[in-house]
Amino acid sequence: MNNLKVITMKDEYAAVCEITKEELFSQMQPEIKALADNNNMTYEEACAALTKKTEECSADGPK
């Protein structure tokens, strides 16, 4: 197991992968910054949008 690939943010695996809010914000900072830049948002606005989305998509519902 020395060639593992992170698939959690790839569209084709979205239905089978769940990422926690903690994982999202601790491990995906460059991707969040890119998301913000690509959508004319600040980093904070992108984080707020992702927080809302992760709560909406959570298996347990909003927390």
Side-chain angles (χ1 to χ4, degrees):
M1 292 185 57
N2 61 358
N3 291 312
L4 298 177
K5 293 184 180 181
V6 177
I7 62 169
T8 56
M9 297 300 283
K10 294 185 180 281
D11 289 340
E12 60 266 30
Y13 300 107
V16 296
C17 296
E18 186 172 335
I19 187 168
T20 67
K21 186 176 171 181
E22 292 77 21
E23 290 172 324
L24 178 66
F25 295 116
S26 67
Q27 299 176 18
M28 308 296 268
Q29 290 178 352
E31 290 82 0
I32 296 170
K33 288 177 184 174
L35 172 73
D37 291 342
N38 290 335
N39 289 281
N40 298 317
M41 304 168 90
T42 66
Y43 179 79
E44 291 76 18
E45 289 171 331
C47 288
L50 288 168
T51 296
K52 182 179 179 188
K53 192 63 162 174
T54 57
E55 289 174 352
E56 290 173 356
C57 294
S58 171
D60 299 331
K63 295 184 177 36

